[in-house]
Amino acid sequence: MEKIIELKNLTKLFKNGRGIKDISLDIFQGDIFGFLGPNGAGKTTAMKIMTGLMRPDYGDVKILGYSVTEEYELAMAKVGCLIEIAESYAYLTAFDNLKQSARYYPDVDHKRIDEVLELTGMLKYKNEKPKKFSLGMKQRLGLAAAILSRPKVVILDEPLNGLDVEGMIHIRKLIQNLAEQEKTTFFISSHLIHDVELTCNRIGVIYNGKILNVDSTQNILSNYATLENYFVSEVERNGRVSSCAGE
């Protein structure tokens, strides 16, 4: 299988002692990889380094064979991402927000903008402005922007934030369809155990800035009743306290 994302000995420590320590991971083509851990475990730090928003103290990330620290433009050329909160221009319509993003991609036309609005369930709001949108609608628009250029890799930090149950199911199906039909590779972080279980085919547990284990969802669920049971047992097996498993 083709290796799409490589994290090698990734380390970034902050003054408060938090951060990530020596993270190494391989993500393969068509994977929907779930980065699972409680708030403050280091998920966003790792993803900011992966998308060039932060420099590591040590280690590197390669996307499609290119180093994010050394060859940033080449590494990010076929990457779409949504990190933390979906940003948008409050006074432009949903359509015009995507038109701004489309300027960076010569092959994205108005038809493609309508297509991603349709895919994310936002087409009926295309002429409305995000200042009136709920958090869930803003997330959907952010996701539409992330997949606009038909990227080969999509990096999403807590993508189901603020979505209602119907929205979560819709976005989950969208992610799974893109992985299956277009072989898009997804790297998704979440603290929502149930959603990771239903969305991702491979899962890495991160706790206190360290990767505890990486396994396929299928393997995990053949050995544990639920992903939550697996998470708690991994945390306990690694000598940590399990009290924050439900954060």
Side-chain angles (χ1 to χ4, degrees), residues 87 89 95-105 108 113 144-146 148-149:
E87 295 291 341
Y89 299 102
F95 185 87
D96 285 340
N97 262 282
L98 294 179
K99 220 162 87 174
Q100 290 295 320
S101 304
R103 291 184 311 166
Y104 299 101
Y105 308 106
V108 173
I113 294 174
L148 186 62
S149 65

PDB file of all heavy atoms in Angstrom, residues 87 89 95-105 108 113 144-146 148-149:
ATOM      1  N   GLU A  87     -12.834  28.966   9.593  1.00  0.00           N
ATOM      2  CA  GLU A  87     -12.845  30.418   9.397  1.00  0.00           C
ATOM      3  C   GLU A  87     -13.560  30.766   8.096  1.00  0.00           C
ATOM      4  O   GLU A  87     -13.451  30.049   7.112  1.00  0.00           O
ATOM      5  CB  GLU A  87     -11.399  30.945   9.317  1.00  0.00           C
ATOM      6  CG  GLU A  87     -10.599  30.779  10.608  1.00  0.00           C
ATOM      7  CD  GLU A  87     -11.075  31.676  11.736  1.00  0.00           C
ATOM      8  OE1 GLU A  87     -11.768  32.669  11.459  1.00  0.00           O
ATOM      9  OE2 GLU A  87     -10.763  31.369  12.901  1.00  0.00           O
ATOM     10  N   TYR A  89     -15.357  34.418   5.760  1.00  0.00           N
ATOM     11  CA  TYR A  89     -15.640  35.858   5.707  1.00  0.00           C
ATOM     12  C   TYR A  89     -17.119  36.053   6.047  1.00  0.00           C
ATOM     13  O   TYR A  89     -17.993  35.641   5.286  1.00  0.00           O
ATOM     14  CB  TYR A  89     -15.341  36.410   4.308  1.00  0.00           C
ATOM     15  CG  TYR A  89     -13.897  36.254   3.893  1.00  0.00           C
ATOM     16  CD1 TYR A  89     -13.513  35.249   3.010  1.00  0.00           C
ATOM     17  CD2 TYR A  89     -12.916  37.126   4.377  1.00  0.00           C
ATOM     18  CE1 TYR A  89     -12.186  35.102   2.629  1.00  0.00           C
ATOM     19  CE2 TYR A  89     -11.584  36.981   4.000  1.00  0.00           C
ATOM     20  CZ  TYR A  89     -11.231  35.969   3.129  1.00  0.00           C
ATOM     21  OH  TYR A  89      -9.912  35.835   2.760  1.00  0.00           O
ATOM     22  N   PHE A  95     -21.264  30.903  -1.058  1.00  0.00           N
ATOM     23  CA  PHE A  95     -20.714  30.697  -2.408  1.00  0.00           C
ATOM     24  C   PHE A  95     -19.484  31.583  -2.626  1.00  0.00           C
ATOM     25  O   PHE A  95     -18.446  31.121  -3.100  1.00  0.00           O
ATOM     26  CB  PHE A  95     -21.783  31.014  -3.466  1.00  0.00           C
ATOM     27  CG  PHE A  95     -21.331  30.718  -4.870  1.00  0.00           C
ATOM     28  CD1 PHE A  95     -21.484  29.442  -5.419  1.00  0.00           C
ATOM     29  CD2 PHE A  95     -20.739  31.700  -5.657  1.00  0.00           C
ATOM     30  CE1 PHE A  95     -21.064  29.164  -6.713  1.00  0.00           C
ATOM     31  CE2 PHE A  95     -20.306  31.432  -6.951  1.00  0.00           C
ATOM     32  CZ  PHE A  95     -20.473  30.156  -7.480  1.00  0.00           C
ATOM     33  N   ASP A  96     -19.587  32.865  -2.248  1.00  0.00           N
ATOM     34  CA  ASP A  96     -18.467  33.795  -2.466  1.00  0.00           C
ATOM     35  C   ASP A  96     -17.266  33.472  -1.579  1.00  0.00           C
ATOM     36  O   ASP A  96     -16.121  33.719  -1.954  1.00  0.00           O
ATOM     37  CB  ASP A  96     -18.926  35.244  -2.256  1.00  0.00           C
ATOM     38  CG  ASP A  96     -19.774  35.748  -3.432  1.00  0.00           C
ATOM     39  OD1 ASP A  96     -19.671  35.154  -4.517  1.00  0.00           O
ATOM     40  OD2 ASP A  96     -20.534  36.714  -3.247  1.00  0.00           O
ATOM     41  N   ASN A  97     -17.517  32.894  -0.388  1.00  0.00           N
ATOM     42  CA  ASN A  97     -16.418  32.426   0.453  1.00  0.00           C
ATOM     43  C   ASN A  97     -15.608  31.368  -0.284  1.00  0.00           C
ATOM     44  O   ASN A  97     -14.375  31.414  -0.300  1.00  0.00           O
ATOM     45  CB  ASN A  97     -16.968  31.830   1.759  1.00  0.00           C
ATOM     46  CG  ASN A  97     -16.925  32.819   2.912  1.00  0.00           C
ATOM     47  OD1 ASN A  97     -15.866  33.055   3.501  1.00  0.00           O
ATOM     48  ND2 ASN A  97     -18.059  33.412   3.236  1.00  0.00           N
ATOM     49  N   LEU A  98     -16.311  30.433  -0.902  1.00  0.00           N
ATOM     50  CA  LEU A  98     -15.619  29.365  -1.635  1.00  0.00           C
ATOM     51  C   LEU A  98     -14.965  29.886  -2.906  1.00  0.00           C
ATOM     52  O   LEU A  98     -13.931  29.384  -3.346  1.00  0.00           O
ATOM     53  CB  LEU A  98     -16.586  28.218  -1.939  1.00  0.00           C
ATOM     54  CG  LEU A  98     -17.097  27.462  -0.701  1.00  0.00           C
ATOM     55  CD1 LEU A  98     -18.060  26.368  -1.099  1.00  0.00           C
ATOM     56  CD2 LEU A  98     -15.954  26.871   0.113  1.00  0.00           C
ATOM     57  N   LYS A  99     -15.559  30.931  -3.477  1.00  0.00           N
ATOM     58  CA  LYS A  99     -14.970  31.555  -4.672  1.00  0.00           C
ATOM     59  C   LYS A  99     -13.597  32.159  -4.324  1.00  0.00           C
ATOM     60  O   LYS A  99     -12.660  32.115  -5.119  1.00  0.00           O
ATOM     61  CB  LYS A  99     -15.912  32.642  -5.199  1.00  0.00           C
ATOM     62  CG  LYS A  99     -16.003  32.679  -6.712  1.00  0.00           C
ATOM     63  CD  LYS A  99     -17.228  33.416  -7.204  1.00  0.00           C
ATOM     64  CE  LYS A  99     -16.942  34.908  -7.311  1.00  0.00           C
ATOM     65  NZ  LYS A  99     -18.067  35.642  -7.921  1.00  0.00           N
ATOM     66  N   GLN A 100     -13.492  32.720  -3.114  1.00  0.00           N
ATOM     67  CA  GLN A 100     -12.198  33.257  -2.652  1.00  0.00           C
ATOM     68  C   GLN A 100     -11.156  32.140  -2.591  1.00  0.00           C
ATOM     69  O   GLN A 100     -10.032  32.297  -3.046  1.00  0.00           O
ATOM     70  CB  GLN A 100     -12.351  33.890  -1.252  1.00  0.00           C
ATOM     71  CG  GLN A 100     -13.151  35.175  -1.215  1.00  0.00           C
ATOM     72  CD  GLN A 100     -12.469  36.297  -1.976  1.00  0.00           C
ATOM     73  OE1 GLN A 100     -11.253  36.465  -1.922  1.00  0.00           O
ATOM     74  NE2 GLN A 100     -13.250  37.051  -2.732  1.00  0.00           N
ATOM     75  N   SER A 101     -11.555  30.996  -2.001  1.00  0.00           N
ATOM     76  CA  SER A 101     -10.626  29.853  -1.911  1.00  0.00           C
ATOM     77  C   SER A 101     -10.264  29.329  -3.287  1.00  0.00           C
ATOM     78  O   SER A 101      -9.129  28.898  -3.524  1.00  0.00           O
ATOM     79  CB  SER A 101     -11.271  28.717  -1.106  1.00  0.00           C
ATOM     80  OG  SER A 101     -11.667  29.169   0.159  1.00  0.00           O
ATOM     81  N   ALA A 102     -11.241  29.364  -4.217  1.00  0.00           N
ATOM     82  CA  ALA A 102     -11.046  28.798  -5.558  1.00  0.00           C
ATOM     83  C   ALA A 102      -9.972  29.532  -6.354  1.00  0.00           C
ATOM     84  O   ALA A 102      -9.395  28.968  -7.291  1.00  0.00           O
ATOM     85  CB  ALA A 102     -12.370  28.817  -6.322  1.00  0.00           C
ATOM     86  N   ARG A 103      -9.672  30.778  -5.967  1.00  0.00           N
ATOM     87  CA  ARG A 103      -8.662  31.555  -6.709  1.00  0.00           C
ATOM     88  C   ARG A 103      -7.296  30.877  -6.687  1.00  0.00           C
ATOM     89  O   ARG A 103      -6.460  31.111  -7.546  1.00  0.00           O
ATOM     90  CB  ARG A 103      -8.528  32.959  -6.099  1.00  0.00           C
ATOM     91  CG  ARG A 103      -9.766  33.828  -6.320  1.00  0.00           C
ATOM     92  CD  ARG A 103      -9.546  35.222  -5.781  1.00  0.00           C
ATOM     93  NE  ARG A 103      -9.021  35.204  -4.419  1.00  0.00           N
ATOM     94  CZ  ARG A 103      -8.481  36.265  -3.807  1.00  0.00           C
ATOM     95  NH1 ARG A 103      -8.362  37.402  -4.452  1.00  0.00           N
ATOM     96  NH2 ARG A 103      -8.037  36.177  -2.578  1.00  0.00           N
ATOM     97  N   TYR A 104      -7.057  30.034  -5.669  1.00  0.00           N
ATOM     98  CA  TYR A 104      -5.753  29.356  -5.550  1.00  0.00           C
ATOM     99  C   TYR A 104      -5.667  28.111  -6.436  1.00  0.00           C
ATOM    100  O   TYR A 104      -4.606  27.515  -6.568  1.00  0.00           O
ATOM    101  CB  TYR A 104      -5.490  28.964  -4.093  1.00  0.00           C
ATOM    102  CG  TYR A 104      -5.433  30.155  -3.162  1.00  0.00           C
ATOM    103  CD1 TYR A 104      -6.529  30.489  -2.364  1.00  0.00           C
ATOM    104  CD2 TYR A 104      -4.302  30.962  -3.104  1.00  0.00           C
ATOM    105  CE1 TYR A 104      -6.483  31.596  -1.519  1.00  0.00           C
ATOM    106  CE2 TYR A 104      -4.251  32.071  -2.265  1.00  0.00           C
ATOM    107  CZ  TYR A 104      -5.343  32.381  -1.479  1.00  0.00           C
ATOM    108  OH  TYR A 104      -5.305  33.473  -0.651  1.00  0.00           O
ATOM    109  N   TYR A 105      -6.806  27.712  -6.987  1.00  0.00           N
ATOM    110  CA  TYR A 105      -6.837  26.460  -7.752  1.00  0.00           C
ATOM    111  C   TYR A 105      -7.400  26.717  -9.147  1.00  0.00           C
ATOM    112  O   TYR A 105      -8.601  26.945  -9.306  1.00  0.00           O
ATOM    113  CB  TYR A 105      -7.705  25.419  -7.031  1.00  0.00           C
ATOM    114  CG  TYR A 105      -7.320  25.223  -5.592  1.00  0.00           C
ATOM    115  CD1 TYR A 105      -8.123  25.734  -4.563  1.00  0.00           C
ATOM    116  CD2 TYR A 105      -6.153  24.547  -5.236  1.00  0.00           C
ATOM    117  CE1 TYR A 105      -7.771  25.563  -3.230  1.00  0.00           C
ATOM    118  CE2 TYR A 105      -5.792  24.382  -3.909  1.00  0.00           C
ATOM    119  CZ  TYR A 105      -6.607  24.887  -2.909  1.00  0.00           C
ATOM    120  OH  TYR A 105      -6.259  24.729  -1.599  1.00  0.00           O
ATOM    121  N   VAL A 108     -10.697  24.845 -10.413  1.00  0.00           N
ATOM    122  CA  VAL A 108     -11.950  24.874  -9.643  1.00  0.00           C
ATOM    123  C   VAL A 108     -12.865  25.953 -10.227  1.00  0.00           C
ATOM    124  O   VAL A 108     -12.547  27.133 -10.187  1.00  0.00           O
ATOM    125  CB  VAL A 108     -11.683  25.145  -8.133  1.00  0.00           C
ATOM    126  CG1 VAL A 108     -13.000  25.345  -7.395  1.00  0.00           C
ATOM    127  CG2 VAL A 108     -10.905  23.994  -7.513  1.00  0.00           C
ATOM    128  N   ILE A 113     -17.824  24.495  -7.126  1.00  0.00           N
ATOM    129  CA  ILE A 113     -18.258  25.139  -5.876  1.00  0.00           C
ATOM    130  C   ILE A 113     -19.660  24.654  -5.505  1.00  0.00           C
ATOM    131  O   ILE A 113     -19.911  24.257  -4.363  1.00  0.00           O
ATOM    132  CB  ILE A 113     -18.211  26.685  -5.989  1.00  0.00           C
ATOM    133  CG1 ILE A 113     -16.756  27.158  -6.153  1.00  0.00           C
ATOM    134  CG2 ILE A 113     -18.845  27.331  -4.757  1.00  0.00           C
ATOM    135  CD1 ILE A 113     -16.586  28.641  -6.414  1.00  0.00           C
ATOM    136  N   ALA A 144     -16.462  22.017   3.097  1.00  0.00           N
ATOM    137  CA  ALA A 144     -16.618  22.260   1.650  1.00  0.00           C
ATOM    138  C   ALA A 144     -15.342  22.902   1.097  1.00  0.00           C
ATOM    139  O   ALA A 144     -14.856  22.526   0.028  1.00  0.00           O
ATOM    140  CB  ALA A 144     -17.829  23.156   1.389  1.00  0.00           C
ATOM    141  N   ALA A 145     -14.777  23.854   1.846  1.00  0.00           N
ATOM    142  CA  ALA A 145     -13.529  24.511   1.422  1.00  0.00           C
ATOM    143  C   ALA A 145     -12.366  23.509   1.411  1.00  0.00           C
ATOM    144  O   ALA A 145     -11.509  23.546   0.525  1.00  0.00           O
ATOM    145  CB  ALA A 145     -13.213  25.681   2.356  1.00  0.00           C
ATOM    146  N   ALA A 146     -12.355  22.600   2.392  1.00  0.00           N
ATOM    147  CA  ALA A 146     -11.261  21.622   2.498  1.00  0.00           C
ATOM    148  C   ALA A 146     -11.240  20.640   1.328  1.00  0.00           C
ATOM    149  O   ALA A 146     -10.173  20.182   0.915  1.00  0.00           O
ATOM    150  CB  ALA A 146     -11.353  20.869   3.822  1.00  0.00           C
ATOM    151  N   LEU A 148     -12.601  21.313  -1.720  1.00  0.00           N
ATOM    152  CA  LEU A 148     -12.867  22.076  -2.941  1.00  0.00           C
ATOM    153  C   LEU A 148     -11.960  21.690  -4.108  1.00  0.00           C
ATOM    154  O   LEU A 148     -12.406  21.522  -5.232  1.00  0.00           O
ATOM    155  CB  LEU A 148     -12.731  23.575  -2.632  1.00  0.00           C
ATOM    156  CG  LEU A 148     -13.102  24.574  -3.727  1.00  0.00           C
ATOM    157  CD1 LEU A 148     -14.568  24.453  -4.112  1.00  0.00           C
ATOM    158  CD2 LEU A 148     -12.806  26.008  -3.263  1.00  0.00           C
ATOM    159  N   SER A 149     -10.667  21.545  -3.837  1.00  0.00           N
ATOM    160  CA  SER A 149      -9.689  21.322  -4.919  1.00  0.00           C
ATOM    161  C   SER A 149      -9.482  19.845  -5.246  1.00  0.00           C
ATOM    162  O   SER A 149      -8.508  19.490  -5.885  1.00  0.00           O
ATOM    163  CB  SER A 149      -8.353  21.944  -4.527  1.00  0.00           C
ATOM    164  OG  SER A 149      -7.841  21.255  -3.389  1.00  0.00           O
TER     165      SER A 149
END
